[in-house]
Amino acid sequence: VVRIRTNAKFDDFYEIYGEPLGEGKFGKVFQCRERSTGLELAAKFIKIRKDADKATVEREVSIMTQMRHPRIAQIYDAFYAGTNDVILLMEIVRGGELFNRVAEDSYILTEKAVAMIVCQICEAIEYIHSQHIIHLDIKASHPSLSPLPVSLRGISCGGRGDNPENIMCVSETGNRIKLIDFGLAQYYDGSKDLYYMAGTPEFAAPEVIKYEPLDFRTDMWSVGVITYILLSGYSPFLGDNVAETYVNVERGEWEFTEEFDVVSDIAKDFIKNLLSYDKNNRMYPRECLKHPWIADTRASAAIDTLLAQPTIDDGATQLSNKQLKRYIVRRRFRKLAFAVMCYVDFRKILIDLRRRNSVKGEEFFAAAKVPDAPPSEEMGSLLAKKTKE
Ligand code: ATP
C-alpha cells in the first residue's frame, strides 16, 4: 500500500529530468527516475491550496493505491513536500494523449480501432466500479481552465492548468490505453445518494450538471461522448462557450451528424445505449463489453493483434480524422470553462434561494463574492434566458 511519506525527501530518492509531461488543474507532471533502480516514472506535483484540497489529494492517493489493473496507471510512491505540495509517483505512460494520437496522419482510424479503444476504457471502468468507485472525470480533452479554486456551501469547483486528458496511449505505435487520473473519483456503495458537481461539462452527464444523484452509469455517459467524438470528430454537446455546452447537456438532445453515414448501425446502437438521458437506460461497463459492437470486434482476432497499430482490414472503411483534428484545435482555444462552472453552481444556489424567497439575486452574488473571472455577457444572457424558461 502506498502512503504519502511525511519524513522522507523526494530528492533523496528520485530525480526529475527532461521536459514536463503535462499540466493538470493542481500542478505539473514531470518525467523522473528512481535513483536506486533507474526506474522511469511520472511525478505529479500537486499544489495544496487549502484543507479541502488536502483531503481531495489524500482521497486521490488512497483511490489510486487501490487500483491494480493493466488499463490504469499504477501509483508507485507519494511524498508530502513542504507544507503545500504532494508529489505522486506513478507509472509513466508515453504514447501521448488519446485524441492527439488518433488524429495523427499515421493513425488508421477505423471503427475497429475505435471499438478497441472504447473496449479498454470500459474494462478500466468495470474494474473501477468493482472497487466501489465512480471516476466522474472520464474525458479525453479539457477546455482551458482558469486557475481559481472556489468553494461555496460545500460545492467546490477546482480549477487547475490547461488541457489535461485522462486517457493516455501507452506507446506511439500500438492501440493500448491507460487511465491516469482519479482526481474527482468518489467512493460509492449505493447506500446513500451521491451528489457531485464537477468535471468537464462537455463530457459530464445531465445528472451532474443538474446536481441530481449520480451512480455508476454517470461514468458511462462520458464513454458515450468519447465514442461519438472518436467516430465522427464532433462533440455532441460542445457549444461555442461553456454555458452553451451546459445548456446542451441539460437538454440532453443530440443526433448523429452526417459523418455517421459511414458508421455501422451497431456502433450507433452502442452510442444510443450510453447517451440516454435517463441513466437507468444506460449500459453498465459489463453490458458494453457484451454489446455486439465490442464483443464481435474482440472475437474477430487475438487481443494482441487488436491492440497493435491499427491497419485497414478487407472491407473496413477508414474514417476521416479531418474533423477530429479541427475539434482538437478548437478545444485548445476554448476559454472560461472554470468561470462558467462556478457560475453554474452559483446559479443553482441562487435558484434555490429565490425559491425560498430569502434573497434577491444581485444581493446573493454580492454576498457570495463571485471571483474575478466573471461570466461573459453572452453566457450571462444565455443563462438568464434559461432561468426564465
Ligand atoms: P485534471 O484533474 O484536470 O484532469 P490533474 O491535475 O489531475 O488534471 P492529470 O490529468 O493527472 O492532472 O495530468 C495532467 C497531464 O499530465 C495529463 O494530461 C498528461 O498529459 C500528463 N500526465 C499525467 N500523468 C501522466 C503519466 N502517468 N504519464 C505520462 N503523462 C502523464
Side-chain angles (χ1 to χ4, degrees), residues 116-373:
M116 285 325 294
I117 291 168
V118 174
C119 170
Q120 295 173 78
I121 299 172
C122 292
E123 286 172 349
I125 301 177
E126 184 184 36
Y127 172 79
I128 295 166
H129 291 177
S130 76
Q131 303 295 303
H132 307 289
I133 290 160
I134 312 187
H135 189 283
L136 291 177
D137 202 18
I138 302 288
K139 67 180 178 190
S141 77
H142 205 315
S144 272
L145 296 181
S146 121
L148 283 169
V150 169
S151 169
L152 187 71
R153 296 192 173 208
I155 299 174
S156 85
C157 27
R160 295 191 261 178
D162 282 342
N163 293 326
E165 286 200 18
N166 288 339
I167 305 173
M168 303 280 293
C169 296
V170 172
S171 71
E172 279 162 22
T173 52
N175 209 25
R176 286 177 199 272
I177 56 105
K178 276 185 199 273
L179 296 193
I180 52 162
D181 183 26
F182 285 80
L184 300 183
Q186 300 286 320
Y187 289 105
Y188 178 72
D189 63 6
S191 62
K192 55 178 191 296
D193 282 343
L194 172 67
Y195 296 86
Y196 197 67
M197 193 193 251
T200 310
E202 185 187 349
F203 294 89
E207 60 270 21
V208 175
I209 298 286
K210 288 159 67 192
Y211 203 57
E212 288 176 359
L214 316 178
D215 76 15
F216 291 118
R217 286 163 296 187
T218 301
D219 281 339
M220 303 318 289
W221 172 278
S222 315
V223 177
V225 175
I226 291 170
T227 312
Y228 188 109
I229 298 173
L230 286 170
L231 288 172
S232 68
Y234 279 101
S235 188
F237 304 101
L238 186 66
D240 287 336
N241 53 49
V242 182
E244 216 176 279
T245 305
Y246 155 77
V247 171
N248 293 342
V249 177
E250 198 183 9
R251 289 209 176 109
E253 290 164 4
W254 61 275
E255 58 188 9
F256 290 119
T257 57
E258 64 187 35
E259 277 68 25
F260 280 94
D261 292 351
V262 293
V263 170
S264 70
D265 287 342
I266 200 71
K268 288 189 235 178
D269 183 78
F270 183 85
I271 293 174
K272 276 188 214 150
N273 280 297
L274 291 174
L275 293 185
S276 157
Y277 199 82
D278 178 356
K279 63 180 176 336
N280 294 316
N281 296 330
R282 272 176 231 153
M283 293 186 288
Y284 283 101
R286 64 171 180 279
E287 291 168 309
C288 292
L289 294 169
K290 283 192 193 141
H291 187 280
W293 186 56
I294 300 286
D296 292 354
T297 307
R298 265 183 108 172
S300 70
I303 197 81
D304 279 356
T305 316
L306 289 168
L307 298 183
Q309 174 86 4
T311 52
I312 274 283
D313 295 335
D314 285 345
T317 312
Q318 186 166 352
L319 305 169
S320 162
N321 60 9
K322 221 195 296 167
Q323 187 55 39
L324 198 56
K325 282 199 180 96
R326 273 193 219 127
Y327 161 75
I328 289 169
V329 171
R330 184 178 169 208
R331 72 169 161 83
R332 285 208 181 112
F333 288 98
R334 292 169 52 74
K335 294 248 155 65
L336 267 170
F338 174 77
V340 179
M341 270 312 269
C342 289
Y343 187 66
V344 168
D345 287 346
F346 291 137
R347 193 188 69 106
K348 184 133 212 89
I349 298 162
L350 176 66
I351 291 170
D352 288 349
L353 287 172
R354 277 204 182 143
R355 209 173 281 142
R356 284 188 268 129
N357 254 344
S358 58
V359 67
K360 282 201 197 106
E362 310 72 55
E363 286 167 18
F364 172 79
F365 277 102
K369 293 200 179 56
V370 180
D372 59 354

